[in-house]
PDB file of all heavy atoms in Angstrom:
ATOM      1  N   GLU A 288      11.873  16.708  -4.904  1.00 98.00           N
ATOM      2  CA  GLU A 288      11.666  15.866  -6.082  1.00 98.00           C
ATOM      3  C   GLU A 288      10.250  15.323  -6.063  1.00 98.00           C
ATOM      4  O   GLU A 288       9.758  14.889  -5.020  1.00 98.00           O
ATOM      5  CB  GLU A 288      12.674  14.726  -6.101  1.00 98.00           C
ATOM      6  CG  GLU A 288      12.630  13.876  -7.349  1.00 98.00           C
ATOM      7  CD  GLU A 288      13.681  12.778  -7.346  1.00 98.00           C
ATOM      8  OE1 GLU A 288      14.446  12.689  -6.371  1.00 98.00           O
ATOM      9  OE2 GLU A 288      13.725  12.000  -8.326  1.00 98.00           O
ATOM     10  N   GLN A 289       9.597  15.313  -7.220  1.00 98.00           N
ATOM     11  CA  GLN A 289       8.237  14.799  -7.317  1.00 98.00           C
ATOM     12  C   GLN A 289       8.235  13.272  -7.346  1.00 98.00           C
ATOM     13  O   GLN A 289       9.168  12.636  -7.841  1.00 98.00           O
ATOM     14  CB  GLN A 289       7.556  15.345  -8.569  1.00 98.00           C
ATOM     15  CG  GLN A 289       7.262  16.838  -8.519  1.00 98.00           C
ATOM     16  CD  GLN A 289       6.520  17.321  -9.748  1.00 98.00           C
ATOM     17  OE1 GLN A 289       6.508  16.647 -10.787  1.00 98.00           O
ATOM     18  NE2 GLN A 289       5.887  18.474  -9.648  1.00 98.00           N
ATOM     19  N   SER A 290       7.158  12.705  -6.817  1.00 98.00           N
ATOM     20  CA  SER A 290       6.990  11.254  -6.847  1.00 98.00           C
ATOM     21  C   SER A 290       6.723  10.778  -8.272  1.00 98.00           C
ATOM     22  O   SER A 290       6.251  11.543  -9.128  1.00 98.00           O
ATOM     23  CB  SER A 290       5.826  10.851  -5.945  1.00 98.00           C
ATOM     24  OG  SER A 290       4.607  11.450  -6.408  1.00 98.00           O
ATOM     25  N   THR A 291       7.033   9.515  -8.525  1.00 97.00           N
ATOM     26  CA  THR A 291       6.787   8.919  -9.836  1.00 97.00           C
ATOM     27  C   THR A 291       6.222   7.517  -9.657  1.00 97.00           C
ATOM     28  O   THR A 291       6.617   6.786  -8.749  1.00 97.00           O
ATOM     29  CB  THR A 291       8.080   8.834 -10.673  1.00 97.00           C
ATOM     30  OG1 THR A 291       9.063   8.069  -9.959  1.00 97.00           O
ATOM     31  CG2 THR A 291       8.640  10.216 -10.951  1.00 97.00           C
ATOM     32  N   GLY A 292       5.277   7.156 -10.541  1.00 96.00           N
ATOM     33  CA  GLY A 292       4.760   5.791 -10.574  1.00 96.00           C
ATOM     34  C   GLY A 292       3.948   5.397  -9.368  1.00 96.00           C
ATOM     35  O   GLY A 292       3.864   4.199  -9.048  1.00 96.00           O
ATOM     36  N   VAL A 293       3.329   6.357  -8.671  1.00 97.00           N
ATOM     37  CA  VAL A 293       2.552   6.037  -7.476  1.00 97.00           C
ATOM     38  C   VAL A 293       1.137   6.593  -7.617  1.00 97.00           C
ATOM     39  O   VAL A 293       0.872   7.494  -8.427  1.00 97.00           O
ATOM     40  CB  VAL A 293       3.214   6.606  -6.198  1.00 97.00           C
ATOM     41  CG1 VAL A 293       4.543   5.910  -5.937  1.00 97.00           C
ATOM     42  CG2 VAL A 293       3.408   8.116  -6.312  1.00 97.00           C
ATOM     43  N   ASN A 294       0.232   6.060  -6.827  1.00 97.00           N
ATOM     44  CA  ASN A 294      -1.157   6.485  -6.865  1.00 97.00           C
ATOM     45  C   ASN A 294      -1.344   7.846  -6.205  1.00 97.00           C
ATOM     46  O   ASN A 294      -1.973   8.746  -6.758  1.00 97.00           O
ATOM     47  CB  ASN A 294      -2.031   5.442  -6.163  1.00 97.00           C
ATOM     48  CG  ASN A 294      -3.492   5.827  -6.138  1.00 97.00           C
ATOM     49  OD1 ASN A 294      -4.085   6.092  -7.181  1.00 97.00           O
ATOM     50  ND2 ASN A 294      -4.076   5.885  -4.950  1.00 97.00           N
ATOM     51  N   GLN A 295      -0.804   8.022  -5.013  1.00 97.00           N
ATOM     52  CA  GLN A 295      -0.870   9.293  -4.296  1.00 97.00           C
ATOM     53  C   GLN A 295       0.292  10.183  -4.741  1.00 97.00           C
ATOM     54  O   GLN A 295       1.450   9.887  -4.492  1.00 97.00           O
ATOM     55  CB  GLN A 295      -0.799   9.067  -2.788  1.00 97.00           C
ATOM     56  CG  GLN A 295      -0.539  10.308  -1.956  1.00 97.00           C
ATOM     57  CD  GLN A 295      -1.707  11.285  -1.972  1.00 97.00           C
ATOM     58  OE1 GLN A 295      -2.789  10.973  -1.481  1.00 97.00           O
ATOM     59  NE2 GLN A 295      -1.491  12.477  -2.529  1.00 97.00           N
ATOM     60  N   LEU A 296      -0.034  11.282  -5.412  1.00 98.00           N
ATOM     61  CA  LEU A 296       1.013  12.204  -5.827  1.00 98.00           C
ATOM     62  C   LEU A 296       1.576  12.923  -4.610  1.00 98.00           C
ATOM     63  O   LEU A 296       0.844  13.288  -3.684  1.00 98.00           O
ATOM     64  CB  LEU A 296       0.464  13.226  -6.823  1.00 98.00           C
ATOM     65  CG  LEU A 296      -0.134  12.669  -8.123  1.00 98.00           C
ATOM     66  CD1 LEU A 296      -0.626  13.813  -9.002  1.00 98.00           C
ATOM     67  CD2 LEU A 296       0.873  11.809  -8.862  1.00 98.00           C
ATOM     68  N   TYR A 297       2.887  13.149  -4.612  1.00 98.00           N
ATOM     69  CA  TYR A 297       3.511  13.930  -3.550  1.00 98.00           C
ATOM     70  C   TYR A 297       4.847  14.459  -4.034  1.00 98.00           C
ATOM     71  O   TYR A 297       5.409  13.993  -5.037  1.00 98.00           O
ATOM     72  CB  TYR A 297       3.683  13.099  -2.274  1.00 98.00           C
ATOM     73  CG  TYR A 297       4.530  11.848  -2.401  1.00 98.00           C
ATOM     74  CD1 TYR A 297       5.910  11.885  -2.228  1.00 98.00           C
ATOM     75  CD2 TYR A 297       3.938  10.611  -2.680  1.00 98.00           C
ATOM     76  CE1 TYR A 297       6.679  10.735  -2.329  1.00 98.00           C
ATOM     77  CE2 TYR A 297       4.700   9.459  -2.772  1.00 98.00           C
ATOM     78  CZ  TYR A 297       6.068   9.522  -2.600  1.00 98.00           C
ATOM     79  OH  TYR A 297       6.831   8.376  -2.704  1.00 98.00           O
ATOM     80  N   THR A 298       5.346  15.438  -3.325  1.00 98.00           N
ATOM     81  CA  THR A 298       6.676  15.990  -3.574  1.00 98.00           C
ATOM     82  C   THR A 298       7.492  15.815  -2.308  1.00 98.00           C
ATOM     83  O   THR A 298       7.048  16.205  -1.221  1.00 98.00           O
ATOM     84  CB  THR A 298       6.612  17.475  -3.949  1.00 98.00           C
ATOM     85  OG1 THR A 298       5.742  17.642  -5.077  1.00 98.00           O
ATOM     86  CG2 THR A 298       7.998  18.004  -4.300  1.00 98.00           C
ATOM     87  N   HIS A 299       8.658  15.209  -2.456  1.00 98.00           N
ATOM     88  CA  HIS A 299       9.513  14.929  -1.302  1.00 98.00           C
ATOM     89  C   HIS A 299      10.542  16.047  -1.131  1.00 98.00           C
ATOM     90  O   HIS A 299      11.224  16.438  -2.092  1.00 98.00           O
ATOM     91  CB  HIS A 299      10.235  13.598  -1.497  1.00 98.00           C
ATOM     92  CG  HIS A 299      11.099  13.216  -0.334  1.00 98.00           C
ATOM     93  ND1 HIS A 299      10.565  12.711   0.836  1.00 98.00           N
ATOM     94  CD2 HIS A 299      12.450  13.290  -0.141  1.00 98.00           C
ATOM     95  CE1 HIS A 299      11.549  12.474   1.689  1.00 98.00           C
ATOM     96  NE2 HIS A 299      12.696  12.827   1.127  1.00 98.00           N
ATOM     97  N   TYR A 300      10.647  16.574   0.087  1.00 98.00           N
ATOM     98  CA  TYR A 300      11.585  17.643   0.423  1.00 98.00           C
ATOM     99  C   TYR A 300      12.569  17.145   1.474  1.00 98.00           C
ATOM    100  O   TYR A 300      12.226  16.295   2.313  1.00 98.00           O
ATOM    101  CB  TYR A 300      10.850  18.858   0.993  1.00 98.00           C
ATOM    102  CG  TYR A 300       9.983  19.603   0.009  1.00 98.00           C
ATOM    103  CD1 TYR A 300       8.717  19.125  -0.335  1.00 98.00           C
ATOM    104  CD2 TYR A 300      10.412  20.791  -0.575  1.00 98.00           C
ATOM    105  CE1 TYR A 300       7.911  19.808  -1.228  1.00 98.00           C
ATOM    106  CE2 TYR A 300       9.606  21.492  -1.472  1.00 98.00           C
ATOM    107  CZ  TYR A 300       8.356  20.994  -1.791  1.00 98.00           C
ATOM    108  OH  TYR A 300       7.558  21.680  -2.670  1.00 98.00           O
ATOM    109  N   GLN A 301      13.768  17.724   1.436  1.00 98.00           N
ATOM    110  CA  GLN A 301      14.770  17.377   2.443  1.00 98.00           C
ATOM    111  C   GLN A 301      15.717  18.553   2.676  1.00 98.00           C
ATOM    112  O   GLN A 301      16.057  19.284   1.744  1.00 98.00           O
ATOM    113  CB  GLN A 301      15.571  16.152   1.997  1.00 98.00           C
ATOM    114  CG  GLN A 301      16.644  15.708   2.987  1.00 98.00           C
ATOM    115  CD  GLN A 301      17.304  14.419   2.577  1.00 98.00           C
ATOM    116  OE1 GLN A 301      16.676  13.356   2.555  1.00 98.00           O
ATOM    117  NE2 GLN A 301      18.582  14.484   2.245  1.00 98.00           N
ATOM    118  N   LEU A 302      16.113  18.741   3.920  1.00 97.00           N
ATOM    119  CA  LEU A 302      17.136  19.725   4.247  1.00 97.00           C
ATOM    120  C   LEU A 302      18.025  19.183   5.339  1.00 97.00           C
ATOM    121  O   LEU A 302      17.643  18.247   6.061  1.00 97.00           O
ATOM    122  CB  LEU A 302      16.525  21.054   4.692  1.00 97.00           C
ATOM    123  CG  LEU A 302      15.864  21.101   6.076  1.00 97.00           C
ATOM    124  CD1 LEU A 302      16.120  22.454   6.735  1.00 97.00           C
ATOM    125  CD2 LEU A 302      14.359  20.857   5.961  1.00 97.00           C
ATOM    126  N   GLN A 303      19.218  19.768   5.448  1.00 98.00           N
ATOM    127  CA  GLN A 303      20.165  19.376   6.477  1.00 98.00           C
ATOM    128  C   GLN A 303      20.601  20.601   7.278  1.00 98.00           C
ATOM    129  O   GLN A 303      20.711  21.700   6.741  1.00 98.00           O
ATOM    130  CB  GLN A 303      21.399  18.712   5.854  1.00 98.00           C
ATOM    131  CG  GLN A 303      21.112  17.401   5.147  1.00 98.00           C
ATOM    132  CD  GLN A 303      22.374  16.708   4.674  1.00 98.00           C
ATOM    133  OE1 GLN A 303      23.482  17.220   4.830  1.00 98.00           O
ATOM    134  NE2 GLN A 303      22.217  15.513   4.106  1.00 98.00           N
ATOM    135  N   ILE A 304      20.805  20.371   8.564  1.00 97.00           N
ATOM    136  CA  ILE A 304      21.357  21.378   9.463  1.00 97.00           C
ATOM    137  C   ILE A 304      22.543  20.736  10.183  1.00 97.00           C
ATOM    138  O   ILE A 304      22.369  19.667  10.774  1.00 97.00           O
ATOM    139  CB  ILE A 304      20.330  21.861  10.503  1.00 97.00           C
ATOM    140  CG1 ILE A 304      19.106  22.498   9.816  1.00 97.00           C
ATOM    141  CG2 ILE A 304      20.953  22.845  11.481  1.00 97.00           C
ATOM    142  CD1 ILE A 304      19.398  23.837   9.157  1.00 97.00           C
ATOM    143  N   PRO A 305      23.732  21.340  10.123  1.00 96.00           N
ATOM    144  CA  PRO A 305      24.089  22.591   9.467  1.00 96.00           C
ATOM    145  C   PRO A 305      24.193  22.434   7.950  1.00 96.00           C
ATOM    146  O   PRO A 305      24.268  21.321   7.430  1.00 96.00           O
ATOM    147  CB  PRO A 305      25.451  22.927  10.088  1.00 96.00           C
ATOM    148  CG  PRO A 305      26.025  21.598  10.462  1.00 96.00           C
ATOM    149  CD  PRO A 305      24.859  20.750  10.869  1.00 96.00           C
ATOM    150  N   ASN A 306      24.218  23.576   7.271  1.00 96.00           N
ATOM    151  CA  ASN A 306      24.419  23.612   5.830  1.00 96.00           C
ATOM    152  C   ASN A 306      25.257  24.852   5.491  1.00 96.00           C
ATOM    153  O   ASN A 306      25.698  25.568   6.392  1.00 96.00           O
ATOM    154  CB  ASN A 306      23.070  23.610   5.090  1.00 96.00           C
ATOM    155  CG  ASN A 306      22.149  24.733   5.561  1.00 96.00           C
ATOM    156  OD1 ASN A 306      22.533  25.899   5.582  1.00 96.00           O
ATOM    157  ND2 ASN A 306      20.921  24.368   5.947  1.00 96.00           N
ATOM    158  N   ARG A 307      25.476  25.093   4.216  1.00 94.00           N
ATOM    159  CA  ARG A 307      26.376  26.188   3.826  1.00 94.00           C
ATOM    160  C   ARG A 307      25.819  27.560   4.184  1.00 94.00           C
ATOM    161  O   ARG A 307      26.571  28.525   4.290  1.00 94.00           O
ATOM    162  CB  ARG A 307      26.686  26.115   2.330  1.00 94.00           C
ATOM    163  CG  ARG A 307      25.474  26.263   1.424  1.00 94.00           C
ATOM    164  CD  ARG A 307      25.849  26.106  -0.041  1.00 94.00           C
ATOM    165  NE  ARG A 307      24.700  26.203  -0.915  1.00 94.00           N
ATOM    166  CZ  ARG A 307      24.191  27.337  -1.356  1.00 94.00           C
ATOM    167  NH1 ARG A 307      24.746  28.490  -0.999  1.00 94.00           N
ATOM    168  NH2 ARG A 307      23.136  27.336  -2.160  1.00 94.00           N
ATOM    169  N   LYS A 308      24.508  27.652   4.397  1.00 95.00           N
ATOM    170  CA  LYS A 308      23.898  28.931   4.764  1.00 95.00           C
ATOM    171  C   LYS A 308      23.762  29.106   6.269  1.00 95.00           C
ATOM    172  O   LYS A 308      23.536  30.226   6.740  1.00 95.00           O
ATOM    173  CB  LYS A 308      22.514  29.056   4.121  1.00 95.00           C
ATOM    174  CG  LYS A 308      22.520  29.093   2.601  1.00 95.00           C
ATOM    175  CD  LYS A 308      21.106  29.228   2.069  1.00 95.00           C
ATOM    176  CE  LYS A 308      21.090  29.250   0.553  1.00 95.00           C
ATOM    177  NZ  LYS A 308      19.688  29.355   0.020  1.00 95.00           N
ATOM    178  N   CYS A 309      23.860  28.018   7.023  1.00 95.00           N
ATOM    179  CA  CYS A 309      23.608  28.072   8.468  1.00 95.00           C
ATOM    180  C   CYS A 309      24.493  27.063   9.182  1.00 95.00           C
ATOM    181  O   CYS A 309      24.250  25.860   9.096  1.00 95.00           O
ATOM    182  CB  CYS A 309      22.130  27.806   8.750  1.00 95.00           C
ATOM    183  SG  CYS A 309      21.711  27.791  10.503  1.00 95.00           S
ATOM    184  N   GLN A 310      25.520  27.554   9.885  1.00 96.00           N
ATOM    185  CA  GLN A 310      26.413  26.717  10.676  1.00 96.00           C
ATOM    186  C   GLN A 310      26.134  26.959  12.155  1.00 96.00           C
ATOM    187  O   GLN A 310      26.087  28.109  12.596  1.00 96.00           O
ATOM    188  CB  GLN A 310      27.875  27.045  10.357  1.00 96.00           C
ATOM    189  CG  GLN A 310      28.274  26.802   8.910  1.00 96.00           C
ATOM    190  CD  GLN A 310      28.402  25.334   8.591  1.00 96.00           C
ATOM    191  OE1 GLN A 310      28.858  24.542   9.417  1.00 96.00           O
ATOM    192  NE2 GLN A 310      28.005  24.955   7.379  1.00 96.00           N
ATOM    193  N   LEU A 311      25.957  25.891  12.907  1.00 97.00           N
ATOM    194  CA  LEU A 311      25.641  26.032  14.325  1.00 97.00           C
ATOM    195  C   LEU A 311      26.915  26.252  15.139  1.00 97.00           C
ATOM    196  O   LEU A 311      27.942  25.616  14.885  1.00 97.00           O
ATOM    197  CB  LEU A 311      24.905  24.799  14.831  1.00 97.00           C
ATOM    198  CG  LEU A 311      23.583  24.476  14.119  1.00 97.00           C
ATOM    199  CD1 LEU A 311      22.975  23.197  14.680  1.00 97.00           C
ATOM    200  CD2 LEU A 311      22.608  25.632  14.242  1.00 97.00           C
ATOM    201  N   LYS A 312      26.830  27.129  16.140  1.00 97.00           N
ATOM    202  CA  LYS A 312      27.984  27.435  16.978  1.00 97.00           C
ATOM    203  C   LYS A 312      27.684  27.293  18.466  1.00 97.00           C
ATOM    204  O   LYS A 312      28.524  27.635  19.294  1.00 97.00           O
ATOM    205  CB  LYS A 312      28.490  28.849  16.683  1.00 97.00           C
ATOM    206  CG  LYS A 312      27.439  29.924  16.829  1.00 97.00           C
ATOM    207  CD  LYS A 312      27.907  31.284  16.330  1.00 97.00           C
ATOM    208  CE  LYS A 312      28.937  31.919  17.214  1.00 97.00           C
ATOM    209  NZ  LYS A 312      29.205  33.326  16.826  1.00 97.00           N
ATOM    210  N   MET A 313      26.499  26.756  18.807  1.00 98.00           N
ATOM    211  CA  MET A 313      26.124  26.637  20.208  1.00 98.00           C
ATOM    212  C   MET A 313      25.310  25.360  20.405  1.00 98.00           C
ATOM    213  O   MET A 313      24.465  25.012  19.572  1.00 98.00           O
ATOM    214  CB  MET A 313      25.303  27.861  20.634  1.00 98.00           C
ATOM    215  CG  MET A 313      24.952  27.902  22.103  1.00 98.00           C
ATOM    216  SD  MET A 313      24.082  29.459  22.511  1.00 98.00           S
ATOM    217  CE  MET A 313      23.878  29.234  24.284  1.00 98.00           C
ATOM    218  N   SER A 314      25.572  24.666  21.494  1.00 98.00           N
ATOM    219  CA  SER A 314      24.794  23.463  21.799  1.00 98.00           C
ATOM    220  C   SER A 314      23.450  23.852  22.406  1.00 98.00           C
ATOM    221  O   SER A 314      23.206  25.009  22.758  1.00 98.00           O
ATOM    222  CB  SER A 314      25.563  22.563  22.758  1.00 98.00           C
ATOM    223  OG  SER A 314      25.667  23.169  24.039  1.00 98.00           O
ATOM    224  N   GLY A 315      22.571  22.855  22.541  1.00 98.00           N
ATOM    225  CA  GLY A 315      21.273  23.088  23.156  1.00 98.00           C
ATOM    226  C   GLY A 315      20.136  22.524  22.344  1.00 98.00           C
ATOM    227  O   GLY A 315      20.323  21.684  21.453  1.00 98.00           O
ATOM    228  N   ASN A 316      18.938  22.963  22.654  1.00 98.00           N
ATOM    229  CA  ASN A 316      17.730  22.545  21.953  1.00 98.00           C
ATOM    230  C   ASN A 316      17.439  23.514  20.801  1.00 98.00           C
ATOM    231  O   ASN A 316      17.659  24.727  20.934  1.00 98.00           O
ATOM    232  CB  ASN A 316      16.526  22.531  22.901  1.00 98.00           C
ATOM    233  CG  ASN A 316      16.664  21.493  23.996  1.00 98.00           C
ATOM    234  OD1 ASN A 316      17.382  20.513  23.844  1.00 98.00           O
ATOM    235  ND2 ASN A 316      15.962  21.699  25.102  1.00 98.00           N
ATOM    236  N   TYR A 317      16.889  22.976  19.723  1.00 98.00           N
ATOM    237  CA  TYR A 317      16.570  23.803  18.563  1.00 98.00           C
ATOM    238  C   TYR A 317      15.173  23.486  18.038  1.00 98.00           C
ATOM    239  O   TYR A 317      14.750  22.322  18.021  1.00 98.00           O
ATOM    240  CB  TYR A 317      17.586  23.588  17.443  1.00 98.00           C
ATOM    241  CG  TYR A 317      18.902  24.305  17.680  1.00 98.00           C
ATOM    242  CD1 TYR A 317      19.926  23.684  18.395  1.00 98.00           C
ATOM    243  CD2 TYR A 317      19.109  25.596  17.215  1.00 98.00           C
ATOM    244  CE1 TYR A 317      21.129  24.334  18.632  1.00 98.00           C
ATOM    245  CE2 TYR A 317      20.311  26.259  17.443  1.00 98.00           C
ATOM    246  CZ  TYR A 317      21.311  25.621  18.145  1.00 98.00           C
ATOM    247  OH  TYR A 317      22.502  26.271  18.381  1.00 98.00           O
ATOM    248  N   ARG A 318      14.495  24.547  17.594  1.00 98.00           N
ATOM    249  CA  ARG A 318      13.202  24.407  16.916  1.00 98.00           C
ATOM    250  C   ARG A 318      13.332  24.963  15.511  1.00 98.00           C
ATOM    251  O   ARG A 318      13.796  26.086  15.326  1.00 98.00           O
ATOM    252  CB  ARG A 318      12.109  25.160  17.676  1.00 98.00           C
ATOM    253  CG  ARG A 318      10.729  25.034  17.017  1.00 98.00           C
ATOM    254  CD  ARG A 318       9.648  25.708  17.837  1.00 98.00           C
ATOM    255  NE  ARG A 318       9.663  27.159  17.685  1.00 98.00           N
ATOM    256  CZ  ARG A 318       8.807  27.985  18.295  1.00 98.00           C
ATOM    257  NH1 ARG A 318       7.900  27.484  19.118  1.00 98.00           N
ATOM    258  NH2 ARG A 318       8.881  29.282  18.098  1.00 98.00           N
ATOM    259  N   LEU A 319      12.932  24.158  14.530  1.00 98.00           N
ATOM    260  CA  LEU A 319      12.958  24.585  13.133  1.00 98.00           C
ATOM    261  C   LEU A 319      11.527  24.621  12.608  1.00 98.00           C
ATOM    262  O   LEU A 319      10.820  23.615  12.663  1.00 98.00           O
ATOM    263  CB  LEU A 319      13.817  23.640  12.300  1.00 98.00           C
ATOM    264  CG  LEU A 319      14.026  24.036  10.844  1.00 98.00           C
ATOM    265  CD1 LEU A 319      15.461  23.710  10.394  1.00 98.00           C
ATOM    266  CD2 LEU A 319      13.043  23.328   9.909  1.00 98.00           C
ATOM    267  N   THR A 320      11.114  25.783  12.135  1.00 98.00           N
ATOM    268  CA  THR A 320       9.762  25.983  11.608  1.00 98.00           C
ATOM    269  C   THR A 320       9.829  26.146  10.103  1.00 98.00           C
ATOM    270  O   THR A 320      10.568  26.997   9.591  1.00 98.00           O
ATOM    271  CB  THR A 320       9.105  27.231  12.225  1.00 98.00           C
ATOM    272  OG1 THR A 320       9.090  27.106  13.652  1.00 98.00           O
ATOM    273  CG2 THR A 320       7.675  27.396  11.717  1.00 98.00           C
TER     274      THR A 320
END
């Protein structure tokens, strides 16, 4: 979603893990790029 009513323009992004496309099945450390 794009910012509104602010001096510095920006677009805010968000994601969640797990999600409907990616369900985790193993514990441990994870790197997301």
Side-chain angles (χ1 to χ4, degrees):
E288 186 178 0
Q289 291 183 342
S290 61
T291 58
V293 294
N294 179 55
Q295 167 68 65
L296 301 180
Y297 60 88
T298 304
H299 182 77
Y300 292 79
Q301 180 174 294
L302 72 144
Q303 295 186 358
I304 300 290
N306 54 53
R307 62 183 178 84
K308 296 180 181 179
C309 178
Q310 299 287 323
L311 301 178
K312 55 189 289 189
M313 185 176 182
S314 68
N316 295 336
Y317 283 88
R318 181 176 77 179
L319 185 142
T320 303

